[in-house]
Amino acid sequence: FSQLAALLILDDCDGIHTQVPWLEQLLERAPRLTVLATARRRLQLPSERSFWLASLSIPAEDQLDFATYAAGQGEDCVQLFIQAAQRIRPDFQLRRSDLFEILVICREVGGLPLAIVQAANWIGQLPLPQIRYAIEQDVGSILPVFTGDEGCASSVGSVFARSWHALNPLGQQALMRLAVFRSSFTLDAASQVAEVTLLTLLQLVDHSLINHE
């Protein structure tokens, strides 16, 4: 790479933090090389620039236009679910009544693309209302079923488990305490109710386990 102008893409880099010195050395010796790396937390390289990737947009119920989704022109999590369902069942035909069920599923999984695709994988075995009901009752009961080879982050559970084990005990304790909040919370609430410090909150943000709005 030393004389090459190139783009090196490293996908899913959460397991290579021990290799960061090698990557830093590579960048120093190859001044025309650019590395695009995806990870749940920063690699902490001196030349690193971070770009936060948010979850897919979740439309409001009054924004569900049947004609748009039926024509495959949606650009949000609902359209992703439809496309994933049609890969599992090529004969899957969207009905107006399906849109609300899909919207609820997308809301329950927070617009996470991997979770949406895995929920759609059940379309061959279960009708949409049952998929929605199962996720509403216990999201963990239905999503971890689809797992890949050992070490492959192909299930929602494995993605979060890897980030969980990367936390120190203080961060793990803080995340469990923050579970008392159903959705969002303020810094004061985190401090007073869960006894979590700002520094620990920032660690959880850096590990992509909570979002800073």
Side-chain angles (χ1 to χ4, degrees), residues 140-205:
S141 68
I142 189 170
L143 295 186
V145 171
F146 297 95
T147 56
D149 297 332
E150 185 177 354
C152 178
S154 59
S155 71
V156 175
S158 66
V159 171
F160 285 103
R162 198 162 56 186
S163 293
W164 168 264
H165 291 302
L167 289 173
N168 58 33
L170 187 63
Q172 293 178 347
Q173 182 187 59
L175 194 61
M176 288 190 290
R177 288 180 174 179
L178 291 171
V180 301
F181 299 108
R182 180 64 180 90
S183 55
S184 60
F185 54 86
T186 64
L187 177 59
D188 287 340
S191 174
Q192 297 297 323
V193 177
E195 298 182 345
V196 176
T197 66
L198 174 60
L199 186 62
T200 303
L201 281 175
L202 292 177
Q203 181 195 16
L204 295 177
V205 171

Side-chain angles (χ1 to χ4, degrees), residues 17-39:
H17 282 75
T18 57
Q19 302 297 323
V20 165
W22 167 84
L23 187 56
E24 185 176 358
Q25 187 180 55
L26 175 65
L27 290 170
E28 290 175 353
R29 295 185 178 184
R32 302 173 66 196
L33 175 68
T34 299
V35 174
L36 174 63
T38 66

Side-chain angles (χ1 to χ4, degrees), residues 25-129:
Q25 187 180 55
L26 175 65
L27 290 170
E28 290 175 353
R29 295 185 178 184
R32 302 173 66 196
L33 175 68
T34 299
V35 174
L36 174 63
T38 66
R40 290 183 58 79
R41 59 190 177 113
R42 292 174 293 172
L43 298 179
Q44 304 290 353
L45 286 166
S47 59
E48 184 175 2
R49 294 180 62 189
S50 298
F51 299 90
W52 177 262
L53 298 179
S55 58
L56 292 175
S57 60
I58 303 174
E61 189 173 347
D62 59 5
Q63 295 176 321
L64 296 176
D65 181 66
F66 176 76
T68 298
Y69 292 111
Q73 298 174 351
E75 297 181 353
D76 53 28
C77 57
V78 174
Q79 189 66 58
L80 175 62
F81 184 98
I82 296 169
Q83 293 171 347
Q86 289 173 340
R87 285 196 295 269
I88 299 298
R89 273 187 51 196
D91 63 339
F92 176 77
Q93 295 293 325
L94 183 70
R95 299 172 300 178
R96 291 184 184 275
S97 59
D98 294 335
L99 285 179
F100 177 73
E101 303 287 348
I102 296 173
L103 177 62
V104 173
I105 292 171
C106 292
R107 284 176 180 170
E108 288 295 317
V109 300
L112 292 175
L114 177 60
I116 292 169
V117 171
Q118 290 187 331
N121 282 342
W122 282 101
I123 202 69
Q125 289 83 24
L126 298 173
L128 274 170

